[in-house]
Amino acid sequence: MMRQLALPCSALGLALGLLVGLPANDARAVDLPVRKAGLWEMKVLRTGSPMPEMTMQHCTDETTDKDMSTAASPMAKEMCSKQDIQKTATGYVSDSVCGIAGMSITSHSEITGDFNSAYTVKSTSHSEGGPSGARDSTTSIEAKWLGACKADQKPGDIVMPGGIKMNVKDMEKLKGMMPKQMPQLPK
């Protein structure tokens, strides 16, 4: 039973983490390019974290990608004291300091590839204040374009492991589901 509950909670945390990682749109920010419309597969590999490897699919279009960034901006401003993204010779670099569920997370990400067929995000982070105390982790997201969205999908739909389906347009609802503090695990 705990394993079944852990996956949706992990998936929810990851989804929020990915969305909060989007750059805020303001005069100082560099905007990431809009991804090609269609179905994207995102394989997430983590080290230094109890979260398992997972693969999810995200149906998107130009409007949804722009809206994700715009909608994430207020949440990122509320949760993050620092959010900086810069264009580099090989892609983009992002640095952030965010507070999620009573944890402080400092991260550095490098984004390479194109947003038409495939891109990679490599992140290192340091978190403090969670049930496991201070922890360093590395996350790699390998994204590739699969083609058109499936007939039963609409832009913004994310299909997580186990068939869990959510839509990024419901971000405020997702944020409300996150605990204010991480529960302490029994020793």
Side-chain angles (χ1 to χ4, degrees):
M1 176 77 168
M2 282 304 282
R3 174 94 170 101
Q4 291 172 334
L5 291 175
L7 182 58
C9 291
S10 299
L12 176 62
L14 175 64
L16 279 175
L18 291 173
L19 295 174
V20 169
L22 293 172
N25 284 332
D26 60 34
R28 295 168 288 129
V30 172
D31 293 332
L32 289 174
V34 173
R35 293 179 296 169
K36 183 176 183 174
L39 187 60
W40 286 84
E41 179 180 82
M42 295 183 291
K43 185 178 201 177
V44 182
L45 310 162
R46 296 188 63 147
T47 57
S49 168
M51 278 186 60
E53 176 182 315
M54 64 172 35
T55 300
M56 59 186 145
Q57 292 185 345
H58 183 200
C59 173
T60 190
D61 63 7
E62 182 176 351
T63 302
T64 302
D65 250 23
K66 286 180 182 176
D67 287 351
M68 276 183 15
S69 182
T70 302
S73 293
M75 189 164 42
K77 285 179 184 175
E78 181 180 319
M79 299 171 91
C80 302
S81 61
K82 176 184 179 184
Q83 186 115 43
D84 182 46
I85 187 165
Q86 299 295 321
K87 176 86 173 104
T88 67
T90 58
Y92 298 86
V93 171
S94 172
D95 291 288
S96 64
V97 178
C98 300
I100 301 171
M103 292 189 322
S104 174
I105 302 170
T106 303
S107 65
H108 174 81
S109 302
E110 295 180 10
I111 306 162
T112 57
D114 69 54
F115 291 80
N116 289 313
S117 60
Y119 63 92
T120 300
V121 181
K122 293 186 179 186
S123 300
T124 55
S125 65
H126 176 77
S127 62
E128 293 186 19
S132 302
R135 178 177 37 213
D136 293 322
S137 66
T138 303
T139 303
S140 177
I141 302 171
E142 298 170 359
K144 67 179 177 181
W145 188 76
L146 299 178
C149 294
K150 295 177 182 173
D152 65 339
Q153 293 176 325
K154 63 182 185 276
D157 281 351
I158 297 175
V159 179
M160 307 291 275
I164 299 167
K165 188 175 179 180
M166 64 179 89
N167 193 290
V168 295
K169 294 176 183 176
D170 297 328
M171 258 193 295
E172 278 302 313
K173 293 177 192 172
L174 293 175
K175 181 184 163 201
M177 294 172 66
M178 287 296 290
K180 299 291 181 220
Q181 295 287 327
M182 292 298 289
Q184 294 299 314
L185 299 174
K187 295 183 182 202

Coordinates of all heavy atoms in Angstrom, one line a residue, residues 37-126:
A37 N 5.1 21.4 -31.2 CA 3.8 20.8 -30.7 C 3.8 19.3 -30.9 O 4.4 18.8 -31.9 CB 2.7 21.5 -31.5
G38 N 3.1 18.6 -30.0 CA 3.0 17.2 -30.2 C 3.2 16.5 -28.8 O 3.2 17.1 -27.8
L39 N 3.6 15.2 -29.0 CA 3.8 14.3 -27.8 C 5.3 14.2 -27.5 O 6.0 13.8 -28.4 CB 3.2 13.0 -28.0 CG 3.1 12.0 -26.8 CD1 2.3 12.6 -25.7 CD2 2.5 10.7 -27.3
W40 N 5.7 14.6 -26.3 CA 7.1 14.5 -25.9 C 7.2 13.4 -24.8 O 6.3 13.4 -23.9 CB 7.5 15.8 -25.3 CG 7.8 16.9 -26.3 CD1 6.9 17.7 -26.9 CD2 9.0 17.2 -26.9 NE1 7.5 18.5 -27.8 CE2 8.8 18.2 -27.8 CE3 10.3 16.7 -26.7 CZ2 9.8 18.8 -28.6 CZ3 11.4 17.3 -27.5 CH2 11.1 18.3 -28.4
E41 N 8.2 12.6 -24.9 CA 8.5 11.6 -23.9 C 9.6 12.2 -23.0 O 10.6 12.7 -23.6 CB 8.9 10.3 -24.5 CG 9.3 9.2 -23.4 CD 9.7 7.9 -24.1 OE1 10.9 7.8 -24.5 OE2 8.8 7.1 -24.2
M42 N 9.5 12.1 -21.7 CA 10.5 12.6 -20.8 C 10.9 11.5 -19.9 O 10.1 11.0 -19.1 CB 10.0 13.9 -20.1 CG 9.7 15.0 -21.0 SD 9.2 16.5 -20.2 CE 7.6 16.1 -19.6
K43 N 12.2 11.1 -20.0 CA 12.7 10.1 -19.1 C 13.5 10.8 -18.0 O 14.4 11.6 -18.3 CB 13.6 9.2 -19.9 CG 14.2 8.0 -19.2 CD 15.0 7.1 -20.1 CE 15.1 5.7 -19.6 NZ 15.9 4.9 -20.5
V44 N 13.2 10.5 -16.8 CA 13.8 11.2 -15.6 C 14.6 10.2 -14.9 O 14.1 9.2 -14.4 CB 12.7 11.8 -14.7 CG1 13.4 12.6 -13.6 CG2 11.8 12.8 -15.5
L45 N 15.9 10.5 -14.8 CA 16.8 9.7 -14.0 C 17.4 10.5 -12.9 O 17.8 11.6 -13.0 CB 18.0 9.2 -14.9 CG 17.6 8.7 -16.3 CD1 18.8 8.7 -17.2 CD2 17.2 7.2 -16.1
R46 N 17.3 9.9 -11.6 CA 17.8 10.6 -10.5 C 18.8 9.8 -9.7 O 18.6 8.6 -9.5 CB 16.6 11.0 -9.6 CG 15.7 11.9 -10.3 CD 14.6 12.4 -9.4 NE 15.3 13.2 -8.3 CZ 14.7 14.2 -7.7 NH1 13.5 14.6 -8.1 NH2 15.3 14.8 -6.7
T47 N 19.8 10.4 -9.2 CA 20.8 9.8 -8.2 C 20.8 10.6 -6.9 O 20.5 11.8 -7.0 CB 22.2 9.7 -8.8 OG1 22.6 11.1 -9.1 CG2 22.3 8.9 -10.1
G48 N 21.0 10.0 -5.8 CA 21.0 10.7 -4.6 C 19.6 11.0 -4.1 O 19.4 11.9 -3.2
S49 N 18.6 10.3 -4.6 CA 17.2 10.6 -4.2 C 16.5 9.2 -4.2 O 16.8 8.3 -4.9 CB 16.6 11.4 -5.3 OG 15.2 11.5 -5.2
P50 N 15.5 9.1 -3.3 CA 14.7 7.9 -3.2 C 13.7 7.7 -4.4 O 13.1 6.7 -4.5 CB 13.9 8.0 -1.9 CG 13.8 9.5 -1.7 CD 15.1 10.1 -2.3
M51 N 13.5 8.8 -5.2 CA 12.6 8.6 -6.3 C 13.2 7.7 -7.4 O 14.3 7.8 -7.8 CB 12.4 10.0 -7.0 CG 11.3 10.8 -6.2 SD 10.9 12.3 -7.1 CE 10.3 11.7 -8.6
P52 N 12.3 6.8 -7.9 CA 12.8 5.9 -8.9 C 12.9 6.6 -10.3 O 12.3 7.6 -10.5 CB 11.7 4.8 -8.9 CG 10.4 5.6 -8.5 CD 10.9 6.6 -7.5
E53 N 13.6 5.9 -11.2 CA 13.6 6.4 -12.6 C 12.1 6.3 -13.1 O 11.4 5.4 -12.8 CB 14.4 5.4 -13.4 CG 14.4 5.7 -14.9 CD 15.3 4.7 -15.7 OE1 16.4 4.4 -15.3 OE2 14.8 4.3 -16.7
M54 N 11.7 7.3 -13.9 CA 10.4 7.3 -14.4 C 10.4 7.9 -15.8 O 11.2 8.7 -16.2 CB 9.4 8.1 -13.5 CG 9.7 9.5 -13.3 SD 8.5 10.5 -12.4 CE 7.8 9.4 -11.2
T55 N 9.4 7.5 -16.6 CA 9.2 8.0 -17.9 C 7.8 8.5 -18.0 O 6.8 7.8 -17.6 CB 9.4 6.9 -19.0 OG1 10.8 6.5 -18.9 CG2 9.2 7.5 -20.4
M56 N 7.6 9.7 -18.5 CA 6.3 10.3 -18.7 C 6.1 10.9 -20.0 O 7.1 11.1 -20.7 CB 6.0 11.3 -17.6 CG 6.9 12.5 -17.5 SD 6.5 13.4 -16.1 CE 8.2 14.0 -15.6
Q57 N 4.9 11.1 -20.4 CA 4.6 11.7 -21.7 C 3.8 13.0 -21.5 O 3.0 13.1 -20.6 CB 3.8 10.7 -22.6 CG 4.6 9.5 -23.0 CD 3.9 8.7 -24.0 OE1 2.7 8.7 -24.2 NE2 4.6 7.8 -24.7
H58 N 4.2 14.0 -22.3 CA 3.5 15.3 -22.2 C 3.1 15.8 -23.6 O 3.9 15.9 -24.5 CB 4.5 16.3 -21.6 CG 4.0 17.7 -21.4 ND1 4.7 18.8 -21.2 CD2 2.7 18.1 -21.2 CE1 4.0 19.8 -21.1 NE2 2.7 19.4 -21.0
C59 N 1.8 16.0 -23.7 CA 1.2 16.5 -24.9 C 1.2 18.0 -24.8 O 0.8 18.6 -23.8 CB -0.3 16.0 -25.1 SG -1.2 16.8 -26.4
T60 N 1.8 18.7 -25.8 CA 1.9 20.2 -25.8 C 1.6 20.8 -27.1 O 1.6 20.1 -28.2 CB 3.3 20.6 -25.2 OG1 3.2 22.0 -24.9 CG2 4.4 20.2 -26.2
D61 N 1.4 22.1 -27.1 CA 1.3 22.9 -28.3 C 1.9 24.2 -27.9 O 2.3 24.5 -26.8 CB -0.1 23.0 -28.8 CG -1.1 23.7 -27.9 OD1 -0.6 24.3 -26.8 OD2 -2.3 23.8 -28.2
E62 N 2.0 25.1 -28.9 CA 2.7 26.4 -28.7 C 2.1 27.2 -27.5 O 2.7 27.7 -26.6 CB 2.8 27.2 -30.0 CG 3.5 28.6 -29.8 CD 3.6 29.3 -31.1 OE1 3.2 28.8 -32.2 OE2 4.0 30.5 -31.0
T63 N 0.8 27.3 -27.5 CA 0.0 28.0 -26.5 C 0.3 27.4 -25.1 O 0.5 28.2 -24.2 CB -1.5 28.1 -26.8 OG1 -1.7 28.6 -28.1 CG2 -2.2 28.9 -25.8
T64 N 0.2 26.1 -25.0 CA 0.4 25.5 -23.7 C 1.8 25.7 -23.2 O 2.0 26.0 -22.0 CB 0.1 24.0 -23.8 OG1 -1.2 23.8 -24.3 CG2 0.2 23.3 -22.5
D65 N 2.8 25.6 -24.0 CA 4.2 25.8 -23.6 C 4.3 27.2 -23.1 O 4.9 27.5 -22.0 CB 5.2 25.5 -24.7 CG 6.0 24.3 -24.4 OD1 5.5 23.4 -23.7 OD2 7.1 24.2 -25.0
K66 N 3.8 28.2 -23.8 CA 3.9 29.6 -23.4 C 3.1 29.8 -22.1 O 3.5 30.4 -21.1 CB 3.3 30.5 -24.4 CG 4.3 30.7 -25.6 CD 3.7 31.6 -26.7 CE 4.6 31.7 -27.9 NZ 4.1 32.6 -28.9
D67 N 1.9 29.2 -22.0 CA 1.1 29.3 -20.8 C 1.7 28.7 -19.6 O 1.6 29.2 -18.5 CB -0.3 28.7 -21.0 CG -1.2 29.5 -21.9 OD1 -0.9 30.6 -22.3 OD2 -2.3 29.0 -22.3
M68 N 2.4 27.6 -19.8 CA 3.1 26.9 -18.7 C 4.1 27.9 -18.0 O 4.2 28.0 -16.8 CB 3.8 25.6 -19.1 CG 3.0 24.4 -19.2 SD 3.8 22.9 -19.6 CE 5.5 23.2 -19.5
S69 N 4.9 28.5 -18.9 CA 5.9 29.5 -18.4 C 5.2 30.7 -17.6 O 5.6 31.0 -16.6 CB 6.7 30.0 -19.5 OG 7.7 30.8 -19.0
T70 N 4.1 31.2 -18.3 CA 3.4 32.3 -17.7 C 2.7 31.9 -16.4 O 2.8 32.6 -15.4 CB 2.3 32.8 -18.7 OG1 3.0 33.2 -19.9 CG2 1.6 34.0 -18.1
A71 N 2.1 30.7 -16.3 CA 1.4 30.3 -15.1 C 2.4 29.9 -14.0 O 2.1 30.1 -12.9 CB 0.5 29.0 -15.5
A72 N 3.5 29.4 -14.4 CA 4.5 29.0 -13.4 C 5.2 30.2 -12.8 O 5.6 30.2 -11.6 CB 5.6 28.1 -14.0
S73 N 5.2 31.4 -13.5 CA 5.8 32.5 -13.0 C 5.3 33.0 -11.6 O 6.1 33.2 -10.7 CB 5.7 33.7 -14.0 OG 6.4 33.4 -15.1
P74 N 4.0 33.1 -11.4 CA 3.6 33.5 -10.0 C 4.0 32.5 -9.0 O 4.4 32.8 -7.9 CB 2.1 33.6 -10.1 CG 1.8 33.8 -11.6 CD 2.9 33.0 -12.3
M75 N 3.9 31.2 -9.3 CA 4.2 30.1 -8.3 C 5.7 30.2 -8.1 O 6.2 30.0 -6.9 CB 3.8 28.8 -8.9 CG 3.9 27.7 -7.8 SD 3.1 26.1 -8.1 CE 3.3 25.8 -9.8
A76 N 6.5 30.3 -9.1 CA 8.0 30.4 -9.0 C 8.4 31.6 -8.1 O 9.2 31.5 -7.3 CB 8.7 30.4 -10.3
K77 N 7.7 32.7 -8.4 CA 8.0 33.9 -7.6 C 7.7 33.7 -6.1 O 8.4 34.2 -5.3 CB 7.3 35.2 -8.2 CG 7.9 35.6 -9.5 CD 7.1 36.8 -10.0 CE 7.7 37.2 -11.4 NZ 6.9 38.3 -12.0
E78 N 6.6 33.0 -5.9 CA 6.2 32.7 -4.5 C 7.1 31.7 -3.8 O 7.5 31.9 -2.6 CB 4.8 32.2 -4.5 CG 4.2 31.9 -3.1 CD 2.8 31.4 -3.2 OE1 2.0 31.9 -4.0 OE2 2.5 30.4 -2.4
M79 N 7.6 30.7 -4.6 CA 8.4 29.6 -4.0 C 9.9 29.8 -4.1 O 10.6 29.2 -3.4 CB 8.0 28.3 -4.6 CG 6.5 28.0 -4.4 SD 6.0 26.6 -5.4 CE 6.4 25.2 -4.3
C80 N 10.3 30.7 -5.0 CA 11.8 30.8 -5.3 C 12.3 32.2 -5.0 O 11.8 33.2 -5.5 CB 12.1 30.4 -6.7 SG 11.5 28.8 -7.2
S81 N 13.3 32.3 -4.2 CA 14.0 33.5 -3.9 C 15.0 33.9 -5.0 O 15.3 35.1 -5.1 CB 14.7 33.5 -2.5 OG 15.7 32.5 -2.5
K82 N 15.4 32.9 -5.8 CA 16.3 33.2 -6.9 C 15.9 32.3 -8.0 O 15.6 31.1 -7.9 CB 17.7 32.9 -6.5 CG 18.7 33.0 -7.7 CD 20.1 32.6 -7.3 CE 21.0 32.7 -8.5 NZ 22.4 32.3 -8.3
Q83 N 15.8 32.9 -9.2 CA 15.4 32.1 -10.4 C 16.1 32.9 -11.6 O 15.6 33.9 -12.0 CB 13.9 32.1 -10.6 CG 13.5 31.2 -11.7 CD 12.7 30.1 -11.2 OE1 11.9 30.2 -10.4 NE2 12.9 28.9 -11.8
D84 N 17.2 32.3 -12.1 CA 18.0 33.0 -13.1 C 18.2 32.0 -14.3 O 18.6 30.8 -14.0 CB 19.3 33.5 -12.5 CG 20.1 34.2 -13.6 OD1 19.6 35.1 -14.3 OD2 21.3 33.9 -13.6
I85 N 18.0 32.4 -15.5 CA 18.3 31.6 -16.7 C 19.1 32.4 -17.7 O 18.7 33.6 -17.9 CB 17.0 30.9 -17.3 CG1 17.4 29.9 -18.4 CG2 16.1 32.0 -17.8 CD1 16.3 29.0 -18.8
Q86 N 20.1 31.8 -18.2 CA 21.0 32.5 -19.2 C 21.2 31.6 -20.4 O 21.3 30.4 -20.3 CB 22.3 32.8 -18.5 CG 22.3 33.7 -17.3 CD 21.8 35.1 -17.6 OE1 22.1 35.7 -18.7 NE2 20.9 35.7 -16.8
K87 N 21.3 32.3 -21.6 CA 21.6 31.6 -22.8 C 23.2 31.4 -22.8 O 23.9 32.3 -22.4 CB 21.2 32.5 -24.0 CG 21.6 32.0 -25.4 CD 20.6 31.0 -25.9 CE 20.9 30.6 -27.3 NZ 21.4 29.2 -27.4
T88 N 23.6 30.2 -23.3 CA 25.0 29.9 -23.4 C 25.3 29.5 -24.8 O 24.4 29.4 -25.6 CB 25.4 28.7 -22.5 OG1 24.8 27.5 -22.9 CG2 25.1 29.0 -21.0
A89 N 26.6 29.2 -25.1 CA 26.9 28.8 -26.5 C 26.3 27.5 -26.9 O 26.1 27.2 -28.0 CB 28.4 28.8 -26.6
T90 N 26.0 26.6 -25.9 CA 25.5 25.3 -26.2 C 24.1 25.1 -25.8 O 23.5 24.0 -25.9 CB 26.4 24.2 -25.4 OG1 26.3 24.5 -24.0 CG2 27.8 24.2 -25.9
G91 N 23.4 26.1 -25.2 CA 22.0 26.0 -24.8 C 21.7 27.0 -23.7 O 21.8 28.2 -24.0
Y92 N 21.3 26.5 -22.5 CA 20.9 27.4 -21.4 C 21.4 26.9 -20.1 O 21.6 25.7 -19.9 CB 19.3 27.5 -21.4 CG 18.7 28.0 -22.6 CD1 18.5 27.2 -23.7 CD2 18.4 29.4 -22.7 CE1 17.9 27.7 -24.9 CE2 17.9 29.9 -23.9 CZ 17.6 29.1 -25.0 OH 17.1 29.6 -26.1
V93 N 21.6 27.8 -19.1 CA 22.0 27.5 -17.8 C 21.0 28.2 -16.9 O 20.6 29.3 -17.1 CB 23.4 27.9 -17.5 CG1 23.7 27.8 -16.0 CG2 24.4 27.2 -18.3
S94 N 20.5 27.4 -15.9 CA 19.5 28.0 -14.9 C 20.0 27.7 -13.5 O 20.5 26.6 -13.2 CB 18.2 27.3 -15.1 OG 17.3 27.6 -14.1
D95 N 19.9 28.7 -12.6 CA 20.2 28.6 -11.2 C 19.0 29.1 -10.4 O 18.4 30.1 -10.7 CB 21.4 29.4 -10.9 CG 22.7 28.9 -11.5 OD1 23.1 27.8 -11.0 OD2 23.2 29.5 -12.4
S96 N 18.6 28.3 -9.4 CA 17.5 28.7 -8.6 C 17.7 28.3 -7.1 O 18.4 27.4 -6.8 CB 16.2 28.1 -9.1 OG 16.3 26.7 -9.0
V97 N 17.0 29.0 -6.2 CA 16.8 28.7 -4.8 C 15.3 28.7 -4.5 O 14.7 29.8 -4.7 CB 17.6 29.7 -3.9 CG1 17.4 29.3 -2.5 CG2 19.1 29.7 -4.3
C98 N 14.7 27.6 -4.2 CA 13.3 27.5 -4.0 C 13.0 26.8 -2.6 O 13.8 26.0 -2.1 CB 12.6 26.7 -5.1 SG 12.9 27.4 -6.7
G99 N 11.8 27.2 -2.1 CA 11.3 26.5 -0.9 C 10.1 25.8 -1.2 O 9.1 26.3 -1.7
I100 N 10.1 24.4 -1.0 CA 8.9 23.6 -1.3 C 8.7 22.7 -0.1 O 9.6 22.0 0.3 CB 9.2 22.7 -2.6 CG1 9.5 23.6 -3.8 CG2 8.0 21.8 -2.8 CD1 9.9 22.9 -5.0
A101 N 7.5 22.7 0.4 CA 7.1 21.9 1.6 C 8.1 21.9 2.7 O 8.4 20.9 3.3 CB 6.9 20.4 1.1
G102 N 8.6 23.1 3.1 CA 9.5 23.3 4.2 C 10.9 22.9 3.9 O 11.8 23.0 4.8
M103 N 11.2 22.6 2.6 CA 12.6 22.3 2.2 C 13.1 23.5 1.5 O 12.4 24.1 0.7 CB 12.7 21.1 1.4 CG 12.3 19.8 2.1 SD 12.7 18.3 1.1 CE 12.2 18.7 -0.6
S104 N 14.4 23.7 1.6 CA 15.1 24.7 0.8 C 15.9 23.9 -0.3 O 16.7 23.0 0.1 CB 16.1 25.5 1.6 OG 16.9 26.4 0.8
I105 N 15.7 24.2 -1.6 CA 16.4 23.5 -2.7 C 17.1 24.5 -3.5 O 16.6 25.4 -4.1 CB 15.4 22.7 -3.5 CG1 14.6 21.8 -2.6 CG2 16.1 22.0 -4.7 CD1 13.4 21.2 -3.3
T106 N 18.5 24.3 -3.6 CA 19.3 25.1 -4.5 C 19.7 24.2 -5.6 O 20.2 23.1 -5.5 CB 20.6 25.5 -3.7 OG1 20.2 26.3 -2.5 CG2 21.5 26.4 -4.6
S107 N 19.5 24.7 -6.9 CA 19.8 23.9 -8.0 C 20.5 24.6 -9.1 O 20.3 25.9 -9.3 CB 18.5 23.2 -8.6 OG 17.6 24.2 -9.0
H108 N 21.2 23.9 -9.9 CA 21.9 24.4 -11.1 C 21.5 23.4 -12.3 O 21.7 22.2 -12.1 CB 23.4 24.4 -10.9 CG 24.2 24.8 -12.1 ND1 24.3 26.1 -12.6 CD2 24.8 24.0 -13.0 CE1 25.0 26.1 -13.7 NE2 25.3 24.8 -14.0
S109 N 21.0 23.9 -13.4 CA 20.6 23.1 -14.5 C 21.3 23.6 -15.8 O 21.5 24.8 -16.0 CB 19.1 23.1 -14.7 OG 18.5 22.7 -13.6
E110 N 21.6 22.6 -16.6 CA 22.2 22.9 -18.0 C 21.2 22.2 -19.0 O 20.9 21.0 -18.9 CB 23.6 22.3 -18.1 CG 24.5 23.1 -17.2 CD 26.0 22.6 -17.3 OE1 26.3 21.8 -18.2 OE2 26.8 23.0 -16.4
I111 N 20.8 23.0 -20.0 CA 19.8 22.5 -21.0 C 20.5 22.6 -22.3 O 21.0 23.6 -22.7 CB 18.5 23.4 -21.0 CG1 18.0 23.5 -19.5 CG2 17.5 22.9 -22.0 CD1 17.0 24.6 -19.3
T112 N 20.5 21.4 -23.0 CA 21.1 21.3 -24.3 C 20.2 20.6 -25.3 O 19.3 19.9 -24.9 CB 22.5 20.6 -24.3 OG1 22.3 19.3 -23.7 CG2 23.5 21.3 -23.4
G113 N 20.5 20.8 -26.6 CA 19.6 20.2 -27.6 C 18.7 21.2 -28.3 O 18.9 22.4 -28.1
D114 N 17.8 20.7 -29.0 CA 16.9 21.6 -29.7 C 15.5 21.3 -29.2 O 15.2 20.2 -28.6 CB 16.9 21.5 -31.2 CG 16.4 20.2 -31.7 OD1 15.3 19.8 -31.4 OD2 17.1 19.5 -32.5
F115 N 14.6 22.2 -29.4 CA 13.2 22.0 -28.8 C 12.3 21.5 -29.9 O 11.1 21.6 -29.8 CB 12.8 23.3 -28.2 CG 13.5 23.6 -26.9 CD1 14.8 24.1 -26.9 CD2 13.0 23.2 -25.7 CE1 15.5 24.4 -25.7 CE2 13.7 23.5 -24.5 CZ 14.9 24.0 -24.5
N116 N 12.8 20.9 -31.0 CA 12.0 20.4 -32.1 C 12.1 18.9 -32.1 O 11.2 18.2 -32.6 CB 12.5 20.9 -33.4 CG 12.1 22.4 -33.6 OD1 11.0 22.7 -33.4 ND2 13.1 23.2 -34.0
S117 N 13.2 18.3 -31.7 CA 13.3 16.8 -31.7 C 13.8 16.2 -30.4 O 13.3 15.1 -30.0 CB 14.2 16.4 -32.8 OG 15.5 16.9 -32.6
A118 N 14.7 16.8 -29.7 CA 15.2 16.2 -28.5 C 16.0 17.3 -27.7 O 16.7 18.2 -28.3 CB 16.1 15.0 -28.7
Y119 N 15.9 17.2 -26.4 CA 16.8 18.1 -25.5 C 17.0 17.3 -24.2 O 16.3 16.4 -23.9 CB 16.1 19.4 -25.3 CG 14.8 19.4 -24.5 CD1 14.8 19.5 -23.1 CD2 13.6 19.3 -25.2 CE1 13.6 19.4 -22.4 CE2 12.4 19.2 -24.5 CZ 12.4 19.3 -23.2 OH 11.2 19.3 -22.5
T120 N 18.1 17.8 -23.5 CA 18.5 17.2 -22.2 C 18.6 18.3 -21.2 O 19.1 19.3 -21.5 CB 19.8 16.4 -22.4 OG1 19.7 15.4 -23.4 CG2 20.2 15.8 -21.1
V121 N 18.1 18.0 -20.0 CA 18.3 18.8 -18.8 C 19.1 18.1 -17.8 O 18.7 17.0 -17.4 CB 16.9 19.3 -18.2 CG1 17.2 20.2 -17.1 CG2 16.1 19.9 -19.3
K122 N 20.2 18.6 -17.4 CA 21.0 18.0 -16.3 C 21.1 18.9 -15.2 O 21.5 20.1 -15.3 CB 22.4 17.6 -16.8 CG 22.4 16.5 -17.9 CD 23.8 16.1 -18.3 CE 23.6 15.0 -19.3 NZ 24.8 14.4 -19.7
S123 N 20.6 18.5 -14.0 CA 20.5 19.3 -12.8 C 21.2 18.7 -11.6 O 21.2 17.5 -11.4 CB 19.0 19.6 -12.4 OG 18.3 20.2 -13.5
T124 N 21.9 19.6 -10.9 CA 22.4 19.2 -9.6 C 21.7 20.0 -8.6 O 21.4 21.2 -8.8 CB 23.9 19.4 -9.5 OG1 24.2 20.8 -9.8 CG2 24.6 18.5 -10.4
S125 N 21.3 19.4 -7.4 CA 20.6 20.2 -6.4 C 21.1 19.8 -5.0 O 21.6 18.7 -4.8 CB 19.1 20.0 -6.5 OG 18.7 18.7 -6.3
H126 N 20.9 20.7 -4.1 CA 21.2 20.5 -2.7 C 19.9 20.9 -1.9 O 19.4 22.0 -2.1 CB 22.4 21.3 -2.2 CG 22.6 21.2 -0.8 ND1 23.3 20.1 -0.2 CD2 22.3 22.0 0.3 CE1 23.3 20.3 1.1 NE2 22.8 21.4 1.4

